[in-house]
């Protein structure tokens, strides 16, 4: 059985998505205000940083979606498929919470500043303590961590990357949930770690695409 070679253009686009997504996540950690007051939640920095996070998760998931194609014919192919499926489920549960933080809290905070009624800012605490909202968010982050571990395992088993070069990507996503309970400097370091992981996986994606292109007529293991 033969398979088509991955498109070099799409492979580079996927790799670029991973790199940009990693950079956006670091920007999210560096730009985000770390005090949840009416002034900070109504600020441009609050809006921009959360949009960076939404863009980061979207672009990273988009980049991973091309991983199975580049790992066709390797031992990492099936793990790559699993990584894509789990990452889509994870982002589906994660982004609604970010949407609420990005827009609802900003609109509520702006209303508080305009009217002087600071009581409405308590809605922020309602969002942060709601069991359904935070529960789905936590599950989404855990799924993204699992997807990253699967992706790291896929590129390692494929022979296109070592365990050490794939580890930062997996570790960055596994720490997604715990890092929310750490101070700002640690969260910034986490953002840099995740960026580095995305760059390494992007490099592996390009390298794997080139190798697979040279092996288009080799049989695919089943």
């Amino acid at each position: 059985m033969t398979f088509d070679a991955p498109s070099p253009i799409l492979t580079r686009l996927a790799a670029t998505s991973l790199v940009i997504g990693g950079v956006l996540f670091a920007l999210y950690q560096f730009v985000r205000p770390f005090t949840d007051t009416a002034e900070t939640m109504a600020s441009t920095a609050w809006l921009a940083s959360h949009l960076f996070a939404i863009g980061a998760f979207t672009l990273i998931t988009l980049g991973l979606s091309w991983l199975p194609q580049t790992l066709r014919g390797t031992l990492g192919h099936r793990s790559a498929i699993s990584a894509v499926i789990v990452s889509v489920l994870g982002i589906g549960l994660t982004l609604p919470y970010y949407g609420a933080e990005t827009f609802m809290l900003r609109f509520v905070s702006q209303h508080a500043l305009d009217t002087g009624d600071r009581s409405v800012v308590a809605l922020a605490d309602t969002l942060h303590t709601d069991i359904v909202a935070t529960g789905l968010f936590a599950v989404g982050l855990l799924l993204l961590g699992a997807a990253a571990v699967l992706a790291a395992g896929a590129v390692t088993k494929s022979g296109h990357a070592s365990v050490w070069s794939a580890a930062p990507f997996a570790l960055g996503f596994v720490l997604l949930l715990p890092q929310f309970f750490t101070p700002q400097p640690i969260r910034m370091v986490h953002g840099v770690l995740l960026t580095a992981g995305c760059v390494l996986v992007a490099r592996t994606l390009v390298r794997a695409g080139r190798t697979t292109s040279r092996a288009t007529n080799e049989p695919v293991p089943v």
Side-chain angles (χ1 to χ4, degrees):
M1 181 166 55
T2 60
F3 54 88
D4 294 331
S7 166
I9 295 177
L10 291 179
T11 300
R12 291 191 185 93
L13 285 175
T16 302
S17 294
L18 282 168
V19 172
I20 296 176
V23 172
L24 287 178
F25 193 84
L27 286 174
Y28 161 64
Q29 300 288 40
F30 279 83
V31 174
R32 184 195 190 281
F34 279 83
T35 54
D36 295 346
T37 64
E39 287 77 12
T40 58
M41 290 189 292
S43 68
T44 301
W46 179 273
L47 175 63
S49 62
H50 284 76
L51 288 178
F52 288 154
I54 291 173
F57 286 126
T58 302
L59 288 173
I60 292 171
T61 302
L62 180 62
L64 283 182
S65 68
W66 193 243
L67 191 63
Q69 180 67 15
T70 59
L71 299 186
R72 291 285 295 273
T74 73
L75 295 177
H77 181 235
R78 291 183 179 179
S79 294
I81 294 175
S82 298
V84 172
I85 294 172
V86 176
S87 67
V88 170
L89 293 174
I91 195 173
L93 295 177
T94 300
L95 289 189
Y97 188 89
Y98 267 104
E101 276 217 331
T102 305
F103 300 108
M104 187 196 81
L105 295 187
R106 183 167 184 263
F107 294 153
V108 166
S109 298
Q110 189 60 57
H111 175 77
L113 294 177
D114 293 340
T115 63
D117 180 11
R118 296 293 179 120
S119 63
V120 296
V121 181
L123 288 173
D125 293 329
T126 302
L127 173 64
H128 294 153
T129 58
D130 182 77
I131 189 170
V132 176
T134 56
L136 291 177
F137 182 61
V139 172
L141 293 178
L142 291 174
L143 286 173
L144 288 173
V149 171
L150 287 168
V155 298
T156 301
K157 288 189 290 185
S158 72
H160 293 294
S162 67
V163 173
W164 295 110
S165 63
F169 184 77
L171 183 61
F173 274 93
V174 167
L175 294 177
L176 267 177
L177 184 56
Q179 60 90 27
F180 280 104
F181 302 96
T182 62
Q184 183 177 5
I186 294 179
R187 292 186 63 174
M188 289 179 173
V189 172
H190 174 259
V192 174
L193 171 66
L194 194 56
T195 301
C198 287
V199 170
L200 289 172
V201 171
R203 186 180 67 176
T204 299
L205 198 67
V206 173
R207 182 187 302 148
R210 290 172 181 167
T211 303
T212 305
S213 295
R214 291 194 296 265
T216 55
N217 294 320
E218 292 183 4
V220 179
V222 295

